[in-house]
């Protein structure tokens, strides 16, 4: 199939593209810069220039493809004060894709998230988020809209990704925690640190996106979760050991100052099951878990950044 991928040169996308190509697909990637275009060309993908705001570009590329994987999201503005703007742009892009693919039975796979899905218990693929009009729920409503495209003749699916998609080269949550610990001389966690985050290696996540575009039935919810929940305290202890800094509990009221923007997420307890996803697509973890990956040392080879 000819698959159009947004976010194709990003952290997850740069693993999805070779996964698709090695499986025999032709990939067309959206590139907003010369650097992104060069990376896609080097990865053997075709290039379409534009951004998620260029709705005509998205519409034409989707119509000319056999399927779409939408990974792009405006994280740059989402985590610097305008999450609502990023979510609204995402919804416009999704609606554009939906209109282009309606009635074709072609696959449309959306990357979404897990935080806030089922507070206080293990979340499953059958759980649906609360949509209350808040900025964070705008993105949840977008995921729901993608699932509803099944009734319009689109083989739609949503991959809810773990908060941390780890691996060598990661500049996300784990790299940020390492950078904060290095800068402040202490590896911290909030409260007793028993709260858990699900995790997935980005190469395992990439395979899940490929399986989704190949096989997922219309209206499928999939969990990009390899580990149900890793305690934040355990993560802090590995970071402290590698950086040779103390491992310390932080009071919840001190989290925002110590962890900056990450403090709003770090205290969340979001254990999540992947049982239905594994059964549906025969998907299994084949790459290292989060603590093992941290222990490999690549997160500590050079100073990480919080960007």
């Amino acid at each position: 199939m000819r698959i159009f991928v947004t976010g194709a040169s990003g952290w997850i996308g740069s693993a999805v593209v070779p996964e698709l190509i090695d499986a025999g697909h032709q990939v067309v990637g959206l590139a907003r810069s010369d650097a992104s275009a060069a990376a896609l060309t080097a990865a053997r993908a075709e290039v379409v220039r534009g951004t998620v705001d260029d709705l005509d570009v998205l519409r034409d590329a989707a119509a000319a493809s056999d399927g779409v994987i939408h990974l792009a999201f405006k994280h740059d503005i989402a985590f610097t004060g305008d999450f609502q703007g990023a979510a609204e742009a995402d919804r416009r892009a999704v609606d554009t894709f939906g209109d282009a693919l309606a009635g074709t039975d072609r696959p449309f796979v959306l990357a979404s998230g897990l935080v806030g899905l089922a507070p206080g218990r293990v979340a499953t693929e059958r759980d649906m988020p609360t949509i209350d009009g808040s900025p964070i729920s705008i993105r949840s409503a977008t995921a729901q809209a993608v699932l509803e495209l099944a009734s319009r003749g689109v083989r739609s699916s949503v991959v809810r990704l773990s908060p941390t998609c780890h691996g060598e080269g990661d500049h996300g949550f784990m790299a940020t925690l390492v950078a904060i610990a290095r800068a402040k001389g202490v590896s911290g966690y909030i409260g007793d640190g028993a709260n858990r985050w699900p995790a997935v290696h980005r190469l395992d996540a990439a395979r899940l996106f490929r399986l989704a575009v190949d096989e997922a039935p219309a209206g499928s919810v999939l969990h990009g979760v390899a580990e149900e929940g890793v305690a934040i305290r355990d993560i802090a202890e590995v970071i402290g050991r590698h950086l040779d800094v103390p491992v310390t509990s932080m009071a919840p009221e001190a989290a925002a100052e110590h962890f900056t923007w990450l403090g709003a997420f770090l205290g969340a307890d979001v254990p999540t099951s992947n049982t239905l996803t594994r059964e549906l697509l025969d998907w299994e973890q084949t790459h290292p878990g989060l603590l093992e990956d941290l222990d490999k040392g690549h997160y500590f080879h050079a100073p990480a950044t919080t960007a």
Side-chain angles (χ1 to χ4, degrees):
M1 290 190 290
R2 177 183 174 91
I3 309 298
F4 178 53
V5 182
T6 71
S9 61
W11 172 237
I12 302 296
S14 59
V16 170
V17 169
E19 176 74 28
L20 291 169
I21 291 174
D22 290 347
H25 294 300
Q26 179 184 4
V27 175
V28 181
L30 183 70
R32 64 177 180 173
S33 68
D34 291 342
S36 293
L40 289 173
T41 299
R44 300 173 290 153
E46 293 183 28
V47 175
V48 170
R49 294 299 295 261
T51 73
V52 292
D53 293 319
D54 296 321
L55 301 184
D56 289 341
V57 172
L58 302 186
R59 182 180 299 108
D60 292 346
S65 300
D66 299 310
V68 173
I69 298 177
H70 181 40
L71 303 172
F73 190 75
K74 291 185 169 183
H75 291 99
D76 52 344
I77 69 170
F79 293 123
T80 55
D82 191 15
F83 192 95
Q84 181 165 340
E88 290 174 348
D90 190 51
R91 180 58 183 267
R92 290 190 293 270
V94 162
D95 287 345
T96 298
F97 287 135
D99 290 342
L101 297 173
T104 66
D105 292 321
R106 296 173 186 169
F108 176 27
V109 186
L110 173 74
S112 189
L114 289 166
V115 174
L117 186 61
R121 61 178 176 83
V122 177
T124 77
E125 293 88 339
R126 293 192 177 97
D127 287 309
M128 292 297 161
T130 299
I131 298 174
D132 57 11
S134 64
I136 194 73
S137 76
I138 296 174
R139 198 175 188 191
S140 299
T142 298
Q144 185 62 35
V146 169
L147 297 177
E148 292 170 357
L149 288 172
S151 66
R152 297 178 61 197
V154 180
R155 185 161 62 82
S156 59
S157 60
V158 171
V159 176
R160 295 170 175 166
L161 285 167
S162 299
T164 178
C165 294
H166 56 91
E168 189 161 3
D170 178 14
H171 291 287
F173 285 159
M174 288 302 106
T176 299
L177 278 177
V178 171
I180 292 170
R182 177 181 279 114
K184 301 205 171 183
V186 60
S187 180
Y189 54 87
I190 299 173
D192 64 5
N195 61 297
R196 298 149 293 175
W197 275 14
V200 65
H201 195 284
R202 78 169 184 133
L203 298 180
D204 286 323
R207 190 171 69 261
L208 179 57
F209 278 101
R210 193 261 299 168
L211 289 170
V213 83
D214 282 346
E215 304 174 20
S220 297
V221 175
L222 308 168
H223 278 179
V225 171
E227 297 175 280
E228 184 175 285
V230 182
I232 298 298
R233 182 179 60 244
D234 293 341
I235 295 169
E237 288 174 351
V238 175
I239 292 172
R241 183 170 70 251
H242 278 270
L243 294 180
D244 194 24
V245 298
V247 180
T248 304
S249 170
M250 302 288 170
E253 56 270 23
E257 179 181 356
H258 184 84
F259 296 107
T260 64
W261 62 268
L262 189 55
F265 302 94
L266 197 61
D269 185 38
V270 285
T272 305
S273 170
N274 66 6
T275 299
L276 298 179
T277 300
R278 289 189 290 107
E279 292 175 351
L280 183 65
L281 297 179
D282 193 26
W283 175 68
E284 297 287 348
Q285 173 185 357
T286 61
H287 291 85
L290 176 56
L291 298 182
E292 180 184 354
D293 198 19
L294 283 168
D295 254 336
K296 287 179 177 294
H298 54 81
Y299 278 92
F300 310 97
H301 287 166
T305 70
T306 56

